[in-house]
């Protein structure tokens, strides 16, 4: 996923960004709503993590504006406001989930993955594709019944593909999901990760659509 983190707390922001990046995802961290708006114009994010109290405005107004514009990007609210009324207001404003600070980072990962699966059209974390058995929630995969270890970036590439089996995913879309603003991207980075996945999962696991991208066939 390419994640937009909107959070002005330095300590929490550092922790969340580091944790999400460790899963192989690209994370853009903005501390002001004006910067977040500019980022959303540039990048098609797959998840927004939104604090409610920012230096230049309220997160709920930002969220409502997103929904009025027809932007359906998944949004998880991160806030210290734990009153029931605040949760209801957040969800009614268009949030997909609501997480109260302080929270465990592993819970954030689980909630983010669940939201992503719902938006992908299949909330079931267990997938069977050919000879691959994939548990997206646990990040566990078996090939012909035998477990295989993948790195965080390999998982991120595979997850991007298996969310839409039989669909072609452009190389640029895969790059966007892996790298944040300002990151140096090797021209063959995606090819390298796909090659590593084929060595571990089998050469037929991922098909190349010449000049366009990649896909997995269910």
């Amino acid at each position: 996923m390419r994640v937009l983190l909107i959070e002005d707390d330095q300590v929490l922001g550092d922790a969340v960004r580091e944790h999400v990046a460790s899963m192989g995802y690209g994370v853009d961290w903005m501390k002001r709503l004006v910067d977040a708006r500019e980022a959303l114009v540039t990048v098609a994010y797959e998840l927004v993590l939104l604090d409610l109290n920012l230096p230049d405005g309220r997160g709920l107004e930002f969220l409502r504006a997103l929904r009025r514009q027809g932007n359906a990007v998944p949004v998880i609210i991160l806030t210290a406001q734990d009153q029931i009324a605040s949760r209801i207001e957040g969800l009614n404003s268009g949030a997909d989930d609501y997480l109260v600070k302080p929270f465990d980072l592993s819970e954030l990962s689980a909630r983010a993955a669940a939201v992503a699966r719902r938006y992908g059209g299949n909330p079931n974390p267990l997938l069977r594709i050919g000879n691959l058995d994939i548990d997206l929630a646990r990040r566990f995969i078996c090939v012909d019944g035998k477990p295989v270890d993948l790195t965080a970036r390999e998982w991120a590439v595979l997850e991007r593909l298996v969310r839409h089996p039989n669909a072609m995913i452009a190389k640029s879309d895969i790059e966007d999901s892996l790298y944040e603003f300002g990151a140096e991207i090797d021209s063959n980075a995606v090819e390298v990760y796909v090659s590593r996945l084929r060595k571990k999962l089998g050469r037929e696991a991922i098909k190349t659509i010449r000049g366009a991208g990649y896909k997995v066939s269910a």
Side-chain angles (χ1 to χ4, degrees):
M1 287 186 289
R2 183 74 175 270
V3 178
L4 176 60
L5 170 62
I6 310 173
E7 170 62 64
D8 66 325
D9 184 277
Q10 185 68 39
V11 175
L12 179 60
D14 275 331
V16 172
R17 179 175 62 176
E18 182 177 345
H19 180 73
V20 176
S22 73
M23 300 176 68
Y25 303 141
V27 187
D28 296 317
W29 178 16
M30 305 298 167
K31 299 179 182 179
R32 299 188 306 157
L33 293 175
V34 63
D35 297 324
R37 292 187 186 97
E38 292 181 4
L40 281 163
V41 172
T42 307
V43 178
Y45 289 99
E46 294 169 278
L47 179 65
V48 174
L49 303 176
L50 175 65
D51 185 21
L52 291 186
N53 294 313
L54 283 303
D56 57 341
R58 297 184 66 229
L60 281 184
E61 293 304 321
F62 173 85
L63 174 57
R64 290 178 184 131
L66 269 186
R67 297 312 188 217
R68 285 196 300 269
Q69 295 161 10
N71 192 326
V73 61
V75 176
I76 297 178
I77 289 175
L78 310 179
T79 180
Q81 299 177 20
D82 61 351
Q83 300 90 346
I84 294 297
S86 296
R87 299 188 189 203
I88 292 173
E89 185 181 18
L91 295 171
N92 286 343
S93 296
D96 297 271
D97 206 343
Y98 193 106
L99 198 53
V100 177
K101 303 173 185 178
F103 51 80
D104 189 277
L105 291 172
S106 60
E107 182 180 3
L108 172 61
S109 299
R111 288 175 181 264
V115 168
R117 289 195 302 272
R118 290 200 301 271
Y119 270 77
N122 183 10
N124 186 358
L126 304 177
L127 302 177
R128 172 77 176 181
I129 301 176
N131 64 337
L132 307 178
D133 290 294
I134 305 168
D135 185 338
L136 293 175
R138 296 169 54 211
R139 288 198 157 195
F140 183 81
I141 184 170
C142 287
V143 180
D144 293 324
K146 299 178 180 178
V148 175
D149 290 327
L150 301 181
T151 67
R153 278 285 164 83
E154 289 166 357
W155 260 114
V157 173
L158 180 65
E159 184 178 16
R160 187 71 180 83
L161 294 168
V162 300
R163 278 198 208 153
H164 306 283
N166 296 320
M168 190 280 295
I169 307 298
K171 174 185 172 182
S172 59
D173 289 343
I174 299 175
E175 286 178 341
D176 284 345
S177 70
L178 298 178
Y179 299 100
E180 62 277 2
F181 286 130
E184 293 187 8
I185 306 174
D186 292 335
S187 60
N188 66 337
V190 173
E191 287 90 341
V192 169
Y193 290 123
V194 169
S195 177
R196 292 176 182 173
L197 285 169
R198 283 173 172 156
K199 288 179 181 178
K200 295 181 178 182
L201 308 180
R203 292 206 56 80
E204 298 303 314
I206 301 174
K207 301 184 184 300
T208 298
I209 311 300
R210 190 172 298 279
Y214 303 91
K215 74 173 184 176
V216 295
S217 297

